[in-house]
Amino acid sequence: MTTDLQQTQIEELITSALSQRRFSYAPYSGFRVGAALLAENGRIYTGCNIENAAYTPSNCGERTAFFKAVSEGVRSFRAICVTGGKQEEPSGFAAPCGVCRQVMMEFCDPDSFLIILARSVEDYEIHTLKELLPMGFGPADLA
Ligand code: THU
């Protein structure tokens, strides 16, 4: 698809997300996720998944990135890159879980927010939030 992201921005997001996987704390699943969230202000907020022995307190990489940004007063976003897998280099695309899609729905425009699923800088696909969360329920429904 065509996007208003520059190629250099796409590559920076993928590189940041892949590099963030090194901080993933995933001793239970072994599935290491790295995310890189591009805010409207141009800053990139990174995140990784953080698991827990009690399992349910675990947090996904995407939500770590969102919560870092929102906790610093940033609420406008353009795109997120998600990378993940059990191998050193991701063998497949790691699509955001339903909970993470819902968190995106809270802060992002479903028609324009872009989700980059990447295996490498050369191998990625781009979707809108609306494609991954059709008929999503969000703040506009409560207005
Ligand atoms: N995970 C993410 O970080 N993001 C997703 O959207 C899907 C799943 C993490 C959660 C858990 O630590 C591991 O991947 C396996 O589910």
Side-chain angles (χ1 to χ4, degrees):
M1 68 179 291
T2 55
T3 77
D4 60 356
L5 285 180
Q6 293 165 0
Q7 190 61 32
T8 51
Q9 289 177 304
I10 294 172
E11 286 174 14
E12 189 180 0
L13 284 172
I14 295 173
T15 304
S16 299
L18 287 169
S19 139
Q20 187 66 15
R21 291 182 69 228
R22 72 188 187 278
F23 296 131
S24 162
Y25 178 71
Y28 307 105
S29 71
F31 193 91
R32 290 182 291 115
V33 175
L37 174 64
L38 176 64
E40 288 287 0
N41 66 13
R43 275 199 59 181
I44 292 177
Y45 294 85
T46 54
C48 65
N49 56 332
I50 305 168
E51 298 187 346
N52 189 282
Y55 289 14
T56 53
S58 300
N59 202 50
C60 290
E62 300 91 313
R63 275 178 289 145
T64 302
F66 267 91
F67 295 160
K68 281 169 68 177
V70 173
S71 70
E72 293 183 17
V74 174
R75 296 182 189 165
S76 300
F77 305 103
R78 296 182 64 194
I80 191 169
C81 174
V82 189
T83 61
K86 291 192 171 185
Q87 284 80 29
E88 190 61 31
E89 298 194 349
S91 56
F93 294 125
C97 78
V99 175
C100 288
R101 294 178 202 204
Q102 188 63 36
V103 168
M104 294 173 195
M105 188 73 197
E106 188 65 28
F107 296 106
C108 307
D109 172 8
D111 289 304
S112 61
F113 184 70
L114 300 175
I115 300 167
I116 304 166
L117 308 179
R119 279 196 276 242
S120 68
V121 174
E122 296 81 29
D123 189 5
Y124 63 88
E125 51 186 55
I126 302 181
H127 302 274
T128 61
L129 176 56
K130 195 171 195 169
E131 284 170 346
L132 298 193
L133 189 64
M135 293 182 72
F137 184 87
D141 293 293
L142 295 179

